[in-house]
Amino acid sequence: MAPIRPISTSSPIKNRSSLSLISSRRRSIAPPRHYTFAPNVTPISYPTEPASPSSSVSSSSPQPDGINISHLGPNAGEDIPPSPSNVGSVLPGQSKPRRRTNRKDSVDHIPRPPNAFMLFRQNFVHQKHVPGSIETNDNSLSKIVGNCWRALSVKDKKVWNALAERAKEEHKRKYPHYRFQPKHDPEKKKKRQAAKLAAEKAERERLMREERERQGLPPMPEDQPFDGSGASSSARTLDPYDTEQEREHAMATRRQQVRNRNFLGHRRSSSVPLPSEAYPGYPYSNFGGPAHADPFNFANPAIANASLTNGIAIPTLPSNLGGLSGPTSQWMNNTSVSEEQNPQLGFAAPMQSQAQHPLALPRAGSPVLNLNTNPIPRNSGFGNFSGMSSMGLPGLGSGTMGMRAARQLQLGQLGRRASSTQPVLQHQLNSGLFNFNFAAQNGSGFPQPPYGQFNQPFGNDFGNVGQNEVGFDGFVGAVAEGFTNPFANSANDQTQRTTGIAASPRSAPNSASVYPSSIPPNANWYDIEAVDPMTPITSIHPQTSAPAPHSTISANNSGLLNHAFSFGNDSPSPSIPPNEAGSSAIQTSPKSASAPQSSVNSTFMINNSDNGYVEHSHQHQNQHQPQQSLNPSAGMGMRDSFDFTAFMSSLPGQSQAGTTHNHNVINQDQSQSSDGSHDSYGHHGQLYTTSHTHPGSVMLAQPTPLRRVELPCVAEVPQQDGIVQHTANNNITDNTRLMASTTENSGCASPADVYTPVQTQSYVEGHQKVDSHQTELQQVSTLDGTANLSTVVPVSYDQQQQQHMDGIGYNYGNDYSTYNALYDGSGASGLYVSEQIHGHNNMNQVNVNQNISYDDPWTTPARAQPRSATTNPEQRWDGSGTPIFVQ
DNA sequence: AAGAATGAAAT
DNA sequence: ATTTCATTCTT
């Protein structure tokens, strides 16, 4: 849309002093443009002021506050600077009087500071972008402005955000003690609830009527008050069902209604489509999505062709994965995009793909069919793979999607409250791909169990899914109470059993068919053959020896698998530019050969319990983190020559005897949240010993008693000029880097623009506290489905993380992530969801050894060369930090 | 305490 | 009626 500039000459100018943000440089002219509003808004088009794409950033000076609005439009920066003062006062009480509501009638009332949109709207109206002859209704205007706002580029929005920020500051200065105190109105609430109940009732009755009609049953008699007469009609009213069958049917209908309510019960205006409408291609939606999109739909030829190995359904890889072929270096840089409908998916997904990335690809025989066949847009795919949270889908991969976000996602509202005018694009799912979908399904997509307020319906989590194929299991496990497990009795059951991720019997009514009453003791032991990340893992099978008597099945298994896959998924270090130190982006260590790689970390969440069942649906997080720095000389970083044996041998502190090597792993189980019945369970860290008995085989032994661990990562990492220190905890930062690099690879914006992380480290009573704040714009090159990778989609990204480590290896209190904008996956400019999503993302990104500190060449303006370890030895985890286990 | 709900900001 | 922020409410 055409830029909106924050200029107004008509509003009273009372306070222009402190908020002048604007360059007063230039004006440019461009041909007129037309706004066309969505048909559900005011259906008109009208001419408006010209856009001026040429008035770029470079054409004006940054303002003292760093805000540059010249790009906003032709007149931005002209004589009358669009300072907030002529936007209209940003301070309350200075704008023209408005009608006050009763509550605010009080003279003392201090209005809230306007937010960005309010300012925008105010200005928009003042600007008379919509002539009075066309639309005067405030509500309609709001819609229009809302549309424009959404169409605003991030850059443009930034201006308004800055103004709002200023307004807030000013407000704070002026009313230092102001506190927003919305008054909740119990009456209103009562009414709302009554209305809701009434609506539900009406709907129930309607459905009942329809159903009866459908079945040829006579209409139900009207309810009549019992008159005590004993007349048969009254009796009939009391029991309207003629037959047991009829009654049962009614009850079933009712149950479905309850489920629907749980699923659909959300403040939502009528024009927001339901998920099935919003996502016609919603993969494996159980709520109306087409069957062909269901990866577990074995009617799908790709799935039907699956073979079985070890009880696991193995899909046949499609012969054509988007037409990509050749070495990975090629497809890594392949910028061609196809938007063809993918027959395997049922929806168009950009063919730019990880599909041929041997690391991104699940091993052959992966139970996760879709990962094999799903072309994942490169960028998001990568983001997802190596910590999907990077996509701003809060914690999708390494953490958990915020419940709210997940639900919104499923409700088609992704990131914003229901709006009457804005459906959500189907694209949104595409970018998240299966990760999203899994998230939606596992994380919270299933109907809310009746006992909770959508508080973690299941502990089962799909964190695995995103990063690992194992997540498939989680999927099966994540069946809510009262919900039909669509996969029961399918081959998936096998998978469930085999991998030993057990779901709560309580939350999975079909568990009888899904889960055996007891999981074979050996079921949680696996050999992983070919751990070499470049080599697809071809099979996993129960270890025939060394049963694990009572280890935590799911934890061990998925931990193990995750761990193993973690190599594959994380190792590629897609941030590595192909042109840096190697011919292929994924084959070369990006940093110095001796720099530790951010490779071996796996953060995932699983159900964890000692008996293989999660009896209360909790959300657990296990982080299996080897407490060793990888020794690059053993091959890490050289993906195509990774030698697992050597790697394992190189790990400090492990036994070299025989063929068995111990690998210490900290398994951090964090459980939090409630099970809906107010129970809270705290699982704590456990130390596991990972050992491998022969090359390529990894086992987790029984958990050993908790011991004190001195984490090597507590060493403070000094900051260096222009260098971002990737310190512990930076899974997301790492992903940021991914994004940055992708941008770079695409020849887009300077990496310097990408982000400005601020990290602090401090010690709090012997604990380490790592604050990681990132509040800058990220530029992510993404697929837009039609163009190419050079499309840059900036994503505002605001993350705060706190992490506390007590040095004992557990009790991590990671806190908080805020994502201000989520990439919606469409790649289309301006398509962002932009709601702050609060929530503990539950992921303790204690990447203890990884990412600890290396220079980030991407953040230096001039594209710093990778530095060798010897250049800044103090910045690096030198690998010598053998975790010290104090008995 | 996590997450849902919703008031309030301008007009 | 809109979007965003900041609170309260609910579990």
Side-chain angles (χ1 to χ4, degrees):
Chain A
M1 64 150 281
I4 306 306
R5 60 205 162 85
I7 298 179
S8 169
T9 53
S10 59
S11 62
I13 298 174
K14 291 186 180 175
N15 179 12
R16 68 162 72 209
S17 55
S18 64
L19 300 178
S20 185
L21 304 172
I22 310 308
S23 154
S24 46
R25 282 280 178 93
R26 54 184 307 252
R27 157 205 306 257
S28 59
I29 306 298
R33 228 185 225 188
H34 296 269
Y35 283 113
T36 301
F37 294 116
N40 59 339
V41 191
T42 307
I44 56 158
S45 295
Y46 61 89
T48 184
E49 299 205 10
S52 178
S54 61
S55 54
S56 63
V57 175
S58 60
S59 65
S60 67
S61 316
Q63 299 305 301
D65 61 356
I67 303 299
N68 182 339
I69 59 118
S70 62
H71 58 281
L72 269 188
N75 298 322
E78 87 183 76
D79 297 338
I80 303 172
S83 72
S85 53
N86 42 30
V87 165
S89 170
V90 296
L91 274 191
Q94 292 179 328
S95 55
K96 66 183 171 185
R98 58 183 177 78
R99 195 168 49 82
R100 291 191 184 281
T101 62
N102 291 340
R103 190 182 299 121
K104 290 174 270 178
D105 262 343
S106 130
V107 203
D108 300 337
H109 176 71
I110 302 171
R112 306 181 72 180
N115 64 32
F117 175 77
M118 286 293 142
L119 291 173
F120 177 79
R121 186 195 186 282
Q122 192 177 44
N123 177 249
F124 194 101
V125 173
H126 284 168
Q127 290 280 306
K128 299 210 183 311
H129 284 288
V130 180
S133 58
I134 291 179
E135 186 62 80
T136 53
N137 180 280
D138 286 326
N139 293 352
S140 303
L141 280 172
S142 284
K143 285 186 178 180
I144 292 169
V145 180
N147 275 334
C148 292
W149 172 259
R150 263 172 266 111
L152 220 50
S153 73
V154 164
K155 206 179 212 172
D156 290 352
K157 272 187 185 169
K158 199 172 170 181
V159 174
W160 294 99
N161 287 331
L163 289 174
E165 205 54 45
R166 288 299 187 86
K168 197 153 93 178
E169 284 168 18
E170 207 174 322
H171 191 270
K172 192 160 190 174
R173 262 199 303 282
K174 194 161 180 194
Y175 311 106
H177 301 301
Y178 170 81
R179 184 168 179 268
F180 175 50
Q181 289 177 297
K183 295 283 182 289
H184 286 242
D185 185 343
E187 288 304 311
K188 246 192 203 170
K189 180 161 191 139
K190 234 183 267 175
K191 276 185 192 167
R192 256 195 304 265
Q193 278 177 344
K196 192 177 165 194
L197 283 175
E200 277 170 12
K201 184 163 181 283
E203 178 67 2
R204 268 198 312 276
E205 285 170 358
R206 188 184 67 79
L207 285 171
M208 196 84 81
R209 265 198 312 278
E210 284 179 6
E211 186 59 23
R212 287 183 70 93
E213 207 171 309
R214 196 175 65 77
Q215 298 207 347
L217 295 169
M220 273 210 298
E222 292 295 320
D223 279 356
Q224 291 167 10
F226 181 59
D227 61 3
S229 70
S232 61
S233 66
S234 292
R236 192 177 166 81
T237 297
L238 290 176
D239 183 1
Y241 308 113
D242 290 329
T243 66
E244 203 48 46
Q245 188 184 16
E246 194 181 334
R247 183 201 310 279
E248 177 48 41
H249 181 267
M251 299 303 287
T253 306
R254 165 67 182 150
R255 283 195 296 272
Q256 184 59 50
Q257 280 305 301
V258 171
R259 286 196 288 272
N260 285 346
R261 189 188 62 208
N262 285 330
F263 171 56
L264 299 172
H266 192 278
R267 193 161 101 174
R268 171 174 102 41
S269 61
S270 58
S271 60
V272 173
L274 297 181
S276 56
E277 301 169 290
Y279 303 121
Y282 187 37
Y284 44 86
S285 166
N286 299 297
F287 309 104
H292 66 269
D294 185 342
F296 306 110
N297 173 15
F298 284 77
N300 181 331
I303 298 170
N305 289 338
S307 54
L308 286 176
T309 295
N310 298 325
I312 298 175
I314 301 176
T316 303
L317 278 173
S319 55
N320 179 1
L321 291 171
L324 296 178
S325 61
T328 51
S329 57
Q330 269 177 31
W331 66 256
M332 280 290 290
N333 295 304
N334 183 346
T335 56
S336 72
V337 174
S338 159
E339 208 183 10
E340 284 175 45
Q341 183 92 349
N342 183 321
Q344 313 263 347
L345 293 177
F347 59 87
M351 288 301 186
Q352 176 66 44
S353 169
Q354 284 189 307
Q356 296 202 342
H357 191 327
L359 302 180
L361 260 184
R363 66 198 183 276
S366 161
V368 180
L369 309 181
N370 281 65
L371 291 181
N372 277 337
T373 58
N374 180 22
I376 299 171
R378 181 172 106 184
N379 298 323
S380 57
F382 262 129
N384 288 337
F385 261 83
S386 53
M388 291 186 302
S389 55
S390 69
M391 277 312 290
L393 288 171
L396 267 203
S398 45
T400 176
M401 188 176 203
M403 286 301 157
R404 184 180 182 186
R407 189 162 78 144
Q408 283 174 327
L409 175 70
Q410 192 173 37
L411 290 174
Q413 295 168 354
L414 192 58
R416 62 171 187 261
R417 219 191 294 196
S419 149
S420 63
T421 58
Q422 294 305 314
V424 174
L425 301 180
Q426 182 187 350
H427 283 312
Q428 285 172 343
L429 282 180
N430 287 352
S431 91
L433 302 162
F434 293 99
N435 296 335
F436 283 14
N437 300 327
F438 273 118
Q441 299 249 0
N442 287 326
S444 59
F446 280 88
Q448 181 174 3
Y451 50 79
Q453 186 207 5
F454 218 79
N455 281 339
Q456 278 112 358
F458 336 98
N460 205 347
D461 174 85
F462 97 106
N464 296 335
V465 178
Q467 289 187 312
N468 313 284
E469 298 88 325
V470 198
F472 178 86
D473 313 317
F475 182 85
V476 176
V479 177
E481 187 169 5
F483 191 79
T484 302
N485 179 355
F487 312 118
N489 302 315
S490 76
N492 303 321
D493 296 354
Q494 285 291 330
T495 305
Q496 176 68 41
R497 230 176 282 127
T498 306
T499 50
I501 295 184
S504 164
R506 168 175 158 183
S507 65
N510 294 318
S511 58
S513 60
V514 179
Y515 313 108
S517 57
S518 66
I519 295 179
N522 288 346
N524 55 325
W525 289 81
Y526 295 95
D527 274 347
I528 295 183
E529 297 173 352
V531 180
D532 178 342
M534 294 298 285
T535 305
I537 292 176
T538 52
S539 70
I540 56 177
H541 53 81
Q543 181 88 329
T544 50
S545 60
H550 56 272
S551 55
T552 60
I553 290 174
S554 55
N556 278 351
N557 285 334
S558 48
L560 180 54
L561 292 175
N562 265 327
H563 193 90
F565 284 116
S566 182
F567 289 142
N569 288 331
D570 280 349
S571 292
S573 293
S575 61
I576 304 165
N579 58 348
E580 180 175 311
S583 59
S584 161
I586 61 162
Q587 292 178 355
T588 323
S589 169
K591 318 298 176 191
S592 70
S594 56
Q597 297 298 305
S598 57
S599 298
V600 183
N601 56 52
S602 66
T603 303
F604 55 94
M605 300 165 66
I606 52 173
N607 283 328
N608 183 12
S609 74
D610 286 342
N611 60 5
Y613 290 100
V614 175
E615 297 181 1
H616 301 267
S617 294
H618 286 263
Q619 207 162 15
H620 292 263
Q621 297 195 347
N622 291 348
Q623 298 177 301
H624 289 225
Q625 293 165 339
Q627 293 300 296
Q628 291 82 11
S629 173
L630 299 179
N631 184 341
S633 66
M636 284 310 292
M638 307 299 284
R639 318 294 171 207
D640 51 354
S641 62
F642 180 74
D643 180 335
F644 187 76
T645 308
F647 163 63
M648 293 301 287
S649 304
S650 74
L651 295 174
Q654 67 181 2
S655 165
Q656 302 284 332
T659 57
T660 300
H661 304 276
N662 295 319
H663 183 196
N664 295 315
V665 172
I666 285 186
N667 175 21
Q668 299 156 359
D669 294 1
Q670 187 196 19
S671 86
Q672 62 146 36
S673 81
S674 85
D675 59 1
S677 56
H678 310 120
D679 287 328
S680 186
Y681 294 81
H683 285 220
H684 296 294
Q686 288 177 302
L687 268 181
Y688 291 88
T689 295
T690 303
S691 56
H692 70 117
T693 49
H694 56 81
S697 175
V698 182
M699 299 188 306
L700 286 178
Q702 275 186 260
T704 58
L706 192 65
R707 290 171 296 178
R708 176 180 165 77
V709 179
E710 288 186 12
L711 298 173
C713 68
V714 296
E716 192 165 6
V717 178
Q719 292 265 349
Q720 294 273 317
D721 284 349
I723 295 172
V724 172
Q725 297 295 321
H726 287 256
T727 56
N729 166 41
N730 269 329
N731 213 20
I732 287 182
T733 302
D734 208 30
N735 288 319
T736 303
R737 194 161 52 83
L738 289 183
M739 292 179 174
S741 74
T742 306
T743 301
E744 175 76 4
N745 287 342
S746 308
C748 295
S750 156
D753 295 333
V754 172
Y755 74 112
T756 310
V758 176
Q759 291 201 346
T760 59
Q761 283 188 307
S762 58
Y763 297 94
V764 182
E765 294 175 350
H767 295 208
Q768 185 194 33
K769 179 188 173 200
V770 177
D771 293 341
S772 171
H773 297 280
Q774 296 176 227
T775 51
E776 254 306 319
L777 190 72
Q778 288 191 355
Q779 301 224 321
V780 186
S781 73
T782 56
L783 297 170
D784 62 6
T786 56
N788 53 50
L789 275 179
S790 68
T791 305
V792 173
V793 176
V795 174
S796 163
Y797 188 88
D798 182 345
Q799 172 206 339
Q800 297 175 24
Q801 276 195 346
Q802 277 197 347
Q803 138 188 114
H804 304 273
M805 296 189 297
D806 61 4
I808 306 179
Y810 65 100
N811 188 25
Y812 291 78
N814 188 7
D815 211 36
Y816 226 73
S817 279
T818 302
Y819 300 84
N820 276 339
L822 306 182
Y823 172 47
D824 70 358
S826 71
S829 174
L831 287 174
Y832 308 99
V833 286
S834 56
E835 166 151 329
Q836 187 182 42
I837 293 175
H838 294 281
H840 294 238
N841 68 1
N842 291 350
M843 51 180 192
N844 294 322
Q845 294 295 345
V846 193
N847 298 334
V848 175
N849 291 316
Q850 290 73 36
N851 309 338
I852 282 198
S853 56
Y854 48 82
D855 305 341
D856 186 346
W858 299 102
T859 56
T860 55
R863 175 72 189 287
Q865 292 306 304
R867 302 189 182 188
S868 70
T870 52
T871 308
N872 293 295
E874 75 284 359
Q875 292 181 19
R876 290 199 167 77
W877 167 247
D878 63 9
S880 68
T882 307
I884 302 166
F885 297 94
V886 182
Q887 292 285 358

